[in-house]
Amino acid sequence: MTSREQRIADFIEAFRVEPGSKVKLGRDFDPAFRGTIKSKKEGRRLLAGGIELLAEYQSRLYAQHTHGVLVVLQALDAGGKDGTIRHVMTGVNPQGVAVHGFKVPSSAELDHDYLWRYGLQLPRRGEIGIFNRSHYEEVLVVRVHPELLERQNLPGNARGHGLWKRRFHEINEWERTLSRNGFKIVKLFLNLSKEEQRTRFLRRIDLPDHNWKFSSADVREREYWDDYQRAFSKMLSNTSTEWAPWYVIPADRKWYARIASGAVIAHALMELDPRFPTIDSDARQALLEIKKTLEAQSPKGAAADPFLAG
Ligand code: AMP
Ligand code: MG
């Protein structure tokens, strides 16, 4: 590991939810945490370095075409999911990235099992897929609003007592299957404080260009704040696994959340360590034969191999 890679590994350790540990959000994670990074300026520099690293790894991931990466983003409203995606993914090849947002399920989606629509949007090998909201809504919003569960038309043996434990287990197994088959899952929870959410809602009202982002439904959802905190705590306690751990990202400062998220994603790619494919000596020999043919086609006055001559 290079020293830069070691620094990234050390930096993200504070955000990782130890598999099997019992999380209580308010007690265990501070939305305003910023560790040893002193200023926004220092933060910007770190983010730029992280983005560069990410772009480099992504091109190798794409070329190697063996692994895929799924980034799962969860947060409360105004948590900063959109901005995080925008900032962290600048600099990567758009051809290798696919972002999917999940909204209230349609009736066609409700006609399938609850994991179906998420499975349809998984990244391919070589790709980084980003879920802006994800299958975790099935143990968050659906848990906070039981009428949403009602709409899922579950048979008797799939409802009632033990439902959430079972879903946690099913999600863990689903993710284990994916990770064993080459798909690394990076789970980020942007942890926002109630007061910072209030400020961000007001900002959306105060700035006319941001009015489109304001939704009165979000303000109604805020009344369920404590229910969400409990649901998030249970999700983190039950679905942080060795193969797909959760990272709780301090989100009260947008710039910090972006650096931290970028670092976690870069770390996942470092662990995969994708390499550009190499070819064996027979294939190399064949290339050299083709090279001779191309060189023989050089027009008068042109170098046999303009690339090498240039
Ligand atoms: P936004 O991310 O602001 O576009 O809002 C998407 C909305 O869809 C949020 O209010 C989510 O709670 C809701 N949503 C996402 N997934 C589900 C789901 N599986 N069941 C019910 N509501 C969902
Ligand atoms: Mg919203």
Side-chain angles (χ1 to χ4, degrees):
M1 218 190 273
T2 65
S3 70
R4 178 161 73 165
E5 290 174 351
Q6 186 62 53
R7 270 206 314 284
I8 291 178
D10 294 343
F11 173 57
I12 68 167
E13 198 45 44
F15 315 134
R16 186 170 184 270
V17 176
E18 189 54 34
S21 65
K22 196 164 184 322
V23 175
K24 231 181 133 204
L25 260 188
R27 177 195 65 192
D28 299 335
F29 291 96
D30 174 10
F33 177 83
R34 66 163 161 187
T36 54
I37 301 178
K38 280 175 219 65
S39 65
K40 197 167 167 174
K41 196 169 152 212
E42 186 187 347
R44 278 224 189 84
R45 204 169 37 77
L46 281 168
L47 183 60
I51 284 170
E52 203 178 293
L53 191 74
L54 243 159
E56 196 180 300
Y57 273 107
Q58 186 221 9
S59 55
R60 286 196 249 150
L61 183 82
Y62 189 77
Q64 189 185 41
H65 212 79
T66 305
H67 294 277
V69 174
L70 173 64
V71 178
V72 168
L73 262 181
Q74 286 292 155
L76 279 159
D77 294 308
K81 298 191 302 298
D82 296 344
T84 300
I85 295 170
R86 200 167 60 240
H87 279 78
V88 172
M89 289 298 151
T90 54
V92 304
N93 176 0
Q95 195 146 227
V97 184
V99 184
H100 291 281
F102 293 96
K103 313 254 178 205
V104 180
S106 67
S107 62
E109 288 171 334
L110 288 171
D111 278 345
H112 293 270
D113 71 276
Y114 71 96
L115 287 175
W116 179 77
R117 66 172 184 157
Y118 308 99
L120 289 180
Q121 307 297 348
L122 289 169
R124 299 165 182 232
R125 298 188 200 282
E127 264 183 5
I128 300 179
I130 302 178
F131 280 3
N132 184 347
R133 301 188 190 268
S134 69
H135 47 298
Y136 283 100
E137 292 293 339
E138 304 293 340
V139 294
L140 294 167
V141 69
V142 179
R143 187 170 195 172
V144 171
H145 298 286
E147 65 275 18
L148 292 174
L149 189 64
E150 237 6 86
R151 292 181 61 211
Q152 295 192 354
N153 285 325
L154 299 176
N157 62 358
R159 9 169 139 208
H161 184 70
L163 173 90
W164 305 113
K165 279 267 177 226
R166 213 166 45 240
R167 281 205 172 175
F168 290 144
H169 179 72
E170 287 159 0
I171 288 172
N172 288 342
E173 288 307 312
W174 189 60
E175 292 180 352
R176 179 168 20 208
T177 304
L178 294 173
S179 66
R180 280 186 177 153
N181 286 280
F183 297 91
K184 190 157 187 90
I185 301 167
V186 181
K187 301 191 298 206
L188 305 174
F189 167 56
L190 305 182
N191 187 27
L192 187 72
S193 71
K194 196 171 184 187
E195 178 56 7
E196 179 60 21
Q197 188 194 53
R198 191 174 74 92
T199 309
R200 290 187 190 176
F201 283 164
L202 285 168
R203 184 171 180 274
R204 288 179 182 181
I205 295 173
D206 295 338
L207 298 175
D209 285 356
H210 292 248
N211 286 175
W212 67 273
K213 244 196 156 171
F214 181 81
S215 135
S216 46
D218 290 355
V219 177
R220 278 197 302 280
E221 232 23 41
R222 181 175 159 82
E223 288 171 26
Y224 297 91
W225 182 272
D226 292 339
D227 295 336
Y228 272 108
Q229 293 289 302
R230 271 193 294 277
F232 275 118
S233 297
K234 286 183 181 143
M235 172 196 83
L236 294 166
S237 306
N238 287 280
T239 60
S240 200
T241 54
E242 292 297 343
W243 53 93
W246 273 104
Y247 290 86
V248 178
I249 305 296
D252 272 8
R253 292 184 181 83
K254 287 180 180 173
W255 61 267
Y256 190 87
R258 288 163 191 170
I259 300 165
S261 302
V264 174
I265 300 168
H267 181 257
L269 284 159
M270 269 161 45
E271 282 190 330
L272 286 179
D273 196 20
R275 304 291 172 103
F276 288 116
T278 52
I279 57 176
D280 64 23
S281 60
D282 285 353
R284 180 74 199 150
Q285 208 46 52
L287 283 186
L288 292 177
E289 288 305 316
I290 296 170
K291 180 178 159 81
K292 269 191 212 141
T293 313
L294 286 170
E295 283 175 342
Q297 293 171 11
S298 66
K300 251 199 180 61
D305 183 340
F307 176 74
L308 284 183

